Amino acid sequence: MAAELLKRSQAAAADTWAIEDLYGSVELFLEDAHRLEQMTEELKGFTKEYLTESGWRLLEYFQKLEKMVTMLDRALCYSERSADVDTGNDKYQALSGKMMGIYHKFSTVTAPVDAWIVAMEEEKIQQFYKETEELCKYKVTISDLRRLKEHTLSPELEELLASSREMGSAAEKTYSLLTDADFENPFVTDEKGEMVKVSSGRFVPMLESRDVNVRRETFQAYYGRYEQYKNTFAALYEGKAKANFFYAKARKYDSSMEAAVDANNVPKEVYYNLIEAVHENMHYMHEYMALRKKLMGLKELHMYDVYVPIVAEETGKITYAKAQEEIAEALQVLGEDYVRVLKEGFENRWIDKYENEGKRSGAYSAGCYSAHPYVLMNYQYNLDSEFTLAHEMGHALHSYYSAKHNNVFDSEYKIFVAEVASTCNEALLMDYLLKRTEDKKKKAYLINHFLQQFRTTLYRQTMFAEFELLTHQMAEEGKSLTAEALKKLYYDLNVQYYGPDVTVDQEIAIEWARIPHFYYNFYVYQYATSFAASMALSKKILEEGEPAVARYLNFLKGGCSKSPIELLKDAGVDMTAKEPIREALKTFGALIAEMEELSCQI
């Protein structure tokens, strides 16, 4: 009998997030959507002459904009969260489409205003601040706009670019619908001899099976489905890469990567430093693969063998309740208030817990300025899911603190720091679990999980970042991103990163097609940089105590009040240098040695 997923209508309310905290009904949502359409039209009354007349005029604009952005944020959150838990539901997809249309109209109307603000003389802006003290509330937002002055176009061109964004995001939306709603996942035989559908949420857990036949069949069947649509996936990815370059060129950047990192006020050298630092320390990854091959007793270590724990699982089935309890205990080091907010999220349905048919794959946290964060999970009762929950709640509390201590504009922290709080939670959870076990087998299992975090976050995400960089360079040079070209590049990178002790199976060449983050415009490198930063910060928290905790909480409260690099420096880590990455990789090397020593004792 095939193990089928529950339909969304069958999910228990206690296991779903409280979407009603945003709107009690669709009708109330539609009222706000209609009001937003009206307010967007009203914004057209803010002409260049009107806005630049005085500080009071500019203040009037930002006060109205603040109300709109707060309402828009809430309505977008409602429509997107509703659509993500039931991607096959046309009603929710229509709500999402409606809100995206309103958002793009809003962006089109505000784009020329941004350009006018950027074009104003600095002396005039400073005079406005002196004359209108209340305007200083929006100083960070105005300064961030003006920082990009050389990359801001005329108001007419800004409006044209903004109006094209909906069209420019078509590849991403199509990819999401294809993989989450229309994709026919294959069935494979599990350890019990039952036919199981390999969904995105089940794929990695099935690769953790102790049965090599289950791993191999899962790996081949799942990637075989992507192979069937390789040309479609290649066309979608090429479309996204070309769109990225179009917007980069329009804004006078030399490359898509440079445009993406500069939007977050991050120097492009940070991207290159990451790849270089990982290349300089590739031997640790190769050592880990050699140890994995040895401890698993395999003549050949295949790509479908790299997820299965080196030692037999010692943690057992981890219920959702147990995961919550352990996470709360582990994060006590961050203080009473942090744990209070964490438990508030656990107890008040911030989280959509389990997989259902048509639900978006993976996990994420989405902040909402006027409500509370929303966390999507597809919990699988294992250690990976426990760490994912800790990870996403790190995002959620970052959003919570940022919203509490900033206006709506400054609460939206830059993407570069977005993964720091999440991976710091994971590091603290790992420290908690390791310190509370004397059992050598369990300790070895946990260390292997930690090693896997290094493999999947520092190395694998850097490999993703390199793939994204190289493919965009190809597109920028006018080369076609065909399925075969993408597969060859991705395969060769896997050979380089995994080293001589791994048999790199041909199926892995299509893996790029199943990675949704490649549609997020140079997002993935930040997983690796954030992991390195969080390793440094968690070490300071555990060693220094209260002073480091205070700096860290101030970082969470910072929003985008400073550049992400400055916020991290204030917290105690400098990500413009290679040193945090090197230090994290040294820790990886030490853990490999500890794992090898433990393996001789169990």
Side-chain angles (χ1 to χ4, degrees), residues 293-470:
K293 182 179 181 181
K294 173 186 170 183
L295 296 184
M296 290 182 70
L298 298 173
K299 290 183 179 179
E300 289 187 355
L301 180 69
H302 287 265
M303 295 303 294
Y304 48 78
D305 298 320
V306 300
Y307 284 94
V308 64
I310 291 175
V311 293
E313 184 170 356
E314 293 295 323
T315 57
K317 182 178 181 180
I318 301 173
T319 65
Y320 187 84
K322 182 181 178 182
Q324 287 186 324
E325 181 183 344
E326 289 186 334
I327 291 166
E329 285 293 324
L331 300 181
Q332 291 284 346
V333 293
L334 293 177
E336 291 181 8
D337 191 67
Y338 190 94
V339 175
R340 176 191 63 79
V341 179
L342 178 77
K343 289 182 176 179
E344 181 182 329
F346 286 158
E347 295 164 6
N348 290 284
R349 294 177 55 214
W350 289 12
I351 306 161
D352 206 271
K353 300 175 185 176
Y354 305 115
E355 190 173 15
N356 61 250
E357 187 177 308
K359 184 176 177 179
R360 176 171 165 162
S361 61
Y364 67 68
S365 172
C368 182
Y369 185 79
S370 59
H372 56 73
Y374 283 79
V375 172
L376 181 138
M377 287 287 298
N378 284 282
Y379 195 81
Q380 297 291 324
Y381 302 98
N382 56 26
L383 194 66
D384 280 335
S385 281
E386 180 175 2
F387 272 89
T388 299
L389 180 58
H391 179 104
E392 299 304 338
M393 288 305 288
H395 283 306
L397 267 73
H398 194 179
S399 296
Y400 172 90
Y401 280 115
S402 188
K404 188 175 181 182
H405 291 88
N406 297 277
N407 65 50
V408 68
F409 301 116
D410 299 345
S411 68
E412 192 71 25
Y413 49 80
K414 299 294 187 182
I415 293 174
F416 183 76
V417 297
E419 297 299 335
V420 174
S422 53
T423 47
C424 188
N425 270 13
E426 289 192 74
L428 293 173
L429 176 59
M430 178 56 72
D431 179 80
Y432 170 86
L433 294 173
L434 284 172
K435 283 178 177 174
R436 281 156 181 75
T437 181
E438 296 297 326
D439 184 283
K440 290 180 179 178
K441 283 188 177 180
K442 185 174 181 180
K443 192 168 187 177
Y445 181 82
L446 289 169
I447 289 175
N448 176 68
H449 185 89
F450 207 1
L451 291 171
Q452 284 288 78
Q453 284 183 299
F454 279 91
R455 177 186 75 81
T456 58
T457 307
L458 250 180
Y459 284 99
R460 190 163 181 259
Q461 297 296 336
T462 301
M463 185 183 77
F464 285 173
E466 190 168 357
F467 174 78
E468 195 168 6
L469 180 65
L470 293 172

Side-chain angles (χ1 to χ4, degrees), residues 141-302:
T141 304
I142 293 170
S143 297
D144 199 42
L145 279 174
R146 291 172 63 78
R147 177 182 66 83
L148 298 171
K149 188 169 186 175
E150 65 177 292
H151 300 291
T152 303
L153 309 180
S154 68
E156 294 77 19
L157 288 177
E158 285 293 339
E159 186 174 1
L160 181 63
L161 277 185
S163 66
S164 72
R165 286 290 179 182
E166 190 168 13
M167 177 181 64
S169 64
E172 180 181 351
K173 184 174 182 180
T174 304
Y175 174 86
S176 178
L177 290 172
L178 174 61
T179 55
D180 291 329
D182 297 338
F183 206 61
E184 284 292 329
N185 290 311
F187 284 89
V188 300
T189 306
D190 69 7
E191 297 94 331
K192 299 176 183 178
E194 296 180 347
M195 294 298 291
V196 177
K197 182 182 283 189
V198 187
S199 63
S200 176
R202 290 172 175 171
F203 178 59
V204 171
M206 292 187 74
L207 289 184
E208 294 173 342
S209 170
R210 306 304 297 180
D211 188 330
V212 66
N213 293 317
V214 172
R215 299 199 301 271
R216 185 190 304 111
E217 184 183 352
T218 298
F219 182 84
Q220 292 175 346
Y222 197 61
Y223 284 130
R225 293 298 288 158
Y226 282 91
E227 182 71 20
Q228 286 181 312
Y229 299 98
K230 64 182 181 181
N231 295 315
T232 300
F233 283 117
L236 289 173
Y237 183 70
E238 183 177 48
K240 183 62 177 176
K242 286 184 175 180
N244 289 342
F245 189 43
F246 167 79
Y247 290 114
K249 282 195 303 181
R251 296 202 175 280
K252 306 169 191 174
Y253 286 101
D254 293 331
S255 69
S256 302
M257 184 273 281
E258 187 180 349
V261 299
D262 193 42
N264 291 312
N265 203 2
V266 174
K268 62 183 177 182
E269 287 72 25
V270 171
Y271 201 103
Y272 294 123
N273 281 347
L274 169 67
I275 295 173
E276 288 172 10
V278 168
H279 276 232
E280 290 163 7
N281 292 276
M282 202 74 83
H283 60 283
Y284 289 129
M285 177 68 155
H286 298 171
E287 287 172 18
Y288 176 46
M289 290 298 105
L291 177 62
R292 169 175 280 277
K293 182 179 181 181
K294 173 186 170 183
L295 296 184
M296 290 182 70
L298 298 173
K299 290 183 179 179
E300 289 187 355
L301 180 69
H302 287 265

